Amino acid sequence: MSNFEALFDYIQEISGKLLSEDDKHLLMAHFKPKKLRKRQYFLQEGDVCKYIGFIVKGSARTFTVDEKGHEHILKLSLENWWLADFESFYLLTPSRFNIEALEDLEVLQSTNAQIEEYLKQIPAFSAMANVISQNYTIANQKRMQAAMSYTAEERYEDLVSNYPQFLQRFPQNMIASYLGLSPETLSRLKKNSFK
Amino acid sequence: MSNFEALFDYIQEISGKLLSEDDKHLLMAHFKPKKLRKRQYFLQEGDVCKYIGFIVKGSARTFTVDEKGHEHILKLSLENWWLADFESFYLLTPSRFNIEALEDLEVLQSTNAQIEEYLKQIPAFSAMANVISQNYTIANQKRMQAAMSYTAEERYEDLVSNYPQFLQRFPQNMIASYLGLSPETLSRLKKNSFK
DNA sequence: ACCCTGGATTGACTTATATCAAGCGTATTT
DNA sequence: AAATACGCTTGATATAAGTCAATCCAGGGT
């Protein structure tokens, strides 16, 4: 009995439309609750990302491992975010990413085929998808700009003001990796910014 | 009499659907041809991006200027690409970007309100939008990963294999800025990679 | 044909960030 | 409660890339 209310609320809020009872039953029929314990993997590099997950509770990171064995975090995800490697999910290609629970994680997951169904059947769902797509495009554009034009310190300040929750929920070395910094550099940077 | 055929072909190819004669007339009614000479601006920082443009001919760059007066290129665009600051275009906020023609440029441009109309009225157009949205998401994910985990040299090689046209069409200092490098660094990097 | 501008290259030097290594405190496991 | 692992900090050093400056070359404009 996972909490579908979080998903319903989210869809209605983002789309600005209401879900009918039929809509809700359709969603409940094919979104499957899944629980992962901290450290468990939602997706492993090399596997196809068959499911997209809606985070009801907990957090996760999406990361790659380079040839030298260094990890790079591309995404940190919290409640009410979607979890997937979209490239693999859309194209059914093996993923280059790992997605790992950073805290005990509850998701509602569904397949691409089923999502396509929802897009056709549920107006609120399709409206939500359009809004999300816009938001992603905007967020990506911003993050890309930040990565290219900002100094490490500016990127950190940006994160502090835009995602203050991250500081509460994720250890500093994860934040560092997300910002493209070594943990040492982030530590020093914070110390210096007090002056 | 600008060339709408390029736009029609593009929509049909990406969407996998055909445009009816009515569809085409609708598109021709509200996409306005616009020509810019090299160096002219499609969008200036501080203005709202009222139009989205489909590039029929020519090229452009999207860039910011930081406090030190340094330019950072976020996007290089060629024929059959869409030109806009999506954040400003969707939200009607003043743009933080400049979009400048790098070669004489022919676009077909339209407003957001009109695009919404097309999405409702023209099935091929709406299918195209979904495909583009997927492609953008995938491309952004890749570029972000490249920016975070790759060395300058790997990013350059990536560009050489994925966008070889860029090397033909854009001067090296623009490529450098797009890769987040100084022109000097790119020059040296190319020299060394011969060894 | 000439000038002039923009782009590319090269050298010398500076700076930001990574790397390696050690030490410390706190939470987690058993 | 002891043992262990994890995360954070700090110092010393290395490295990649940026900056500044000079030169050279080619193409476009007059």
Side-chain angles (χ1 to χ4, degrees):
Chain A
M1 287 296 284
S2 188
N3 187 0
F4 276 90
E5 289 305 321
L7 177 60
F8 299 155
D9 288 351
Y10 172 84
I11 295 173
Q12 294 182 137
E13 188 183 326
I14 299 279
S15 70
K17 297 188 178 194
L18 290 177
L19 291 163
S20 70
E21 285 309 306
D22 280 359
D23 291 341
K24 292 185 183 178
H25 283 112
L26 191 56
L27 291 168
M28 290 174 70
H30 298 287
F31 267 102
K32 303 289 182 197
K34 168 133 188 168
K35 295 197 181 200
L36 293 177
R37 302 204 45 210
K38 187 174 174 173
R39 304 285 166 97
Q40 280 190 301
Y41 280 64
F42 178 78
L43 174 69
Q44 292 214 21
E45 188 177 345
D47 291 353
V48 171
C49 181
K50 277 193 276 204
Y51 301 102
I52 187 170
F54 175 82
I55 304 182
V56 173
K57 186 145 188 29
S59 61
R61 63 177 181 137
T62 302
F63 67 100
T64 50
V65 183
D66 68 23
E67 329 75 64
K68 291 182 196 147
H70 295 153
E71 298 180 352
H72 302 273
I73 296 182
L74 269 101
K75 218 178 334 187
L76 290 170
S77 310
L78 292 171
E79 286 83 5
N80 290 2
W81 295 39
W82 294 95
L83 212 51
D85 167 11
F86 289 103
E87 179 175 4
S88 173
F89 184 72
Y90 289 143
L91 307 180
L92 301 177
T93 51
S95 178
R96 292 167 296 128
F97 301 106
N98 302 278
I99 303 182
E100 182 201 29
L102 289 178
E103 303 168 325
D104 290 353
L105 187 64
E106 287 177 49
V107 299
L108 295 168
Q109 67 180 24
S110 180
T111 61
N112 197 1
Q114 195 52 46
I115 296 285
E116 299 281 355
E117 254 341 275
Y118 290 142
L119 289 172
K120 279 187 213 142
Q121 309 276 331
I122 305 177
F125 197 88
S126 130
M128 172 202 75
N130 289 333
V131 173
I132 289 179
S133 158
Q134 280 193 11
N135 291 349
Y136 268 48
T137 301
I138 293 170
N140 276 323
Q141 202 174 259
K142 276 190 181 162
R143 185 149 181 239
M144 203 61 224
Q145 189 210 350
M148 305 225 11
S149 351
Y150 289 4
T151 64
E153 189 159 356
E154 288 168 328
R155 294 205 303 277
Y156 178 68
E157 281 161 10
D158 216 47
L159 178 133
V160 171
S161 46
N162 290 315
Y163 303 101
Q165 336 87 292
F166 281 16
L167 303 177
Q168 315 303 323
R169 299 285 290 273
F170 302 114
Q172 193 170 301
N173 59 351
M174 298 289 167
I175 303 274
S177 174
Y178 176 76
L179 292 172
L181 299 172
S182 69
E184 292 95 333
T185 298
L186 180 55
S187 172
R188 287 187 246 263
L189 184 158
K190 284 174 71 175
K191 193 174 59 163
N192 291 333
S193 72
F194 276 116
K195 288 176 190 168
Chain B
M1 288 295 286
S2 189
N3 187 1
F4 276 90
E5 289 305 321
L7 178 59
F8 299 156
D9 289 351
Y10 172 84
I11 295 173
Q12 295 182 136
E13 187 182 327
I14 300 279
S15 70
K17 298 187 177 194
L18 289 178
L19 291 164
S20 70
E21 285 308 307
D22 281 358
D23 291 341
K24 292 185 183 178
H25 283 112
L26 192 56
L27 291 168
M28 289 173 71
H30 298 287
F31 268 103
K32 304 289 182 195
K34 168 134 188 169
K35 295 196 180 199
L36 293 177
R37 303 203 46 210
K38 188 174 174 172
R39 304 285 165 98
Q40 279 190 301
Y41 279 63
F42 179 78
L43 174 69
Q44 291 214 22
E45 188 178 346
D47 291 352
V48 170
C49 183
K50 279 194 276 204
Y51 301 102
I52 187 170
F54 176 82
I55 304 182
V56 173
K57 186 143 187 28
S59 60
R61 65 177 179 136
T62 301
F63 68 100
T64 50
V65 182
D66 68 23
E67 328 77 65
K68 291 183 197 149
H70 294 152
E71 298 180 352
H72 302 273
I73 297 182
L74 270 101
K75 218 173 343 179
L76 290 170
S77 310
L78 292 170
E79 287 84 5
N80 289 3
W81 295 37
W82 295 94
L83 211 51
D85 168 11
F86 289 103
E87 180 175 4
S88 173
F89 184 72
Y90 290 142
L91 307 180
L92 301 177
T93 52
S95 178
R96 292 167 295 129
F97 301 107
N98 301 278
I99 303 182
E100 182 199 32
L102 288 179
E103 303 169 324
D104 290 352
L105 187 64
E106 286 177 51
V107 299
L108 294 169
Q109 68 180 25
S110 179
T111 62
N112 197 2
Q114 196 51 48
I115 296 285
E116 300 281 354
E117 256 339 278
Y118 291 142
L119 290 171
K120 281 187 213 141
Q121 309 276 330
I122 306 177
F125 197 88
S126 135
M128 172 203 76
N130 289 333
V131 173
I132 289 180
S133 158
Q134 279 194 12
N135 291 349
Y136 268 48
T137 302
I138 292 170
N140 277 323
Q141 201 174 259
K142 276 190 180 164
R143 187 151 179 237
M144 203 60 225
Q145 189 211 350
M148 305 226 12
S149 348
Y150 289 4
T151 64
E153 189 159 355
E154 287 168 329
R155 294 206 303 277
Y156 178 68
E157 281 161 9
D158 216 47
L159 179 135
V160 171
S161 47
N162 290 315
Y163 302 101
Q165 335 88 292
F166 280 15
L167 303 177
Q168 316 302 324
R169 298 284 290 273
F170 302 114
Q172 194 169 301
N173 59 350
M174 299 288 166
I175 304 275
S177 175
Y178 176 77
L179 291 172
L181 299 172
S182 69
E184 293 95 332
T185 299
L186 180 55
S187 172
R188 284 187 248 264
L189 183 158
K190 285 174 70 177
K191 194 174 58 164
N192 291 332
S193 72
F194 276 118
K195 288 176 189 168

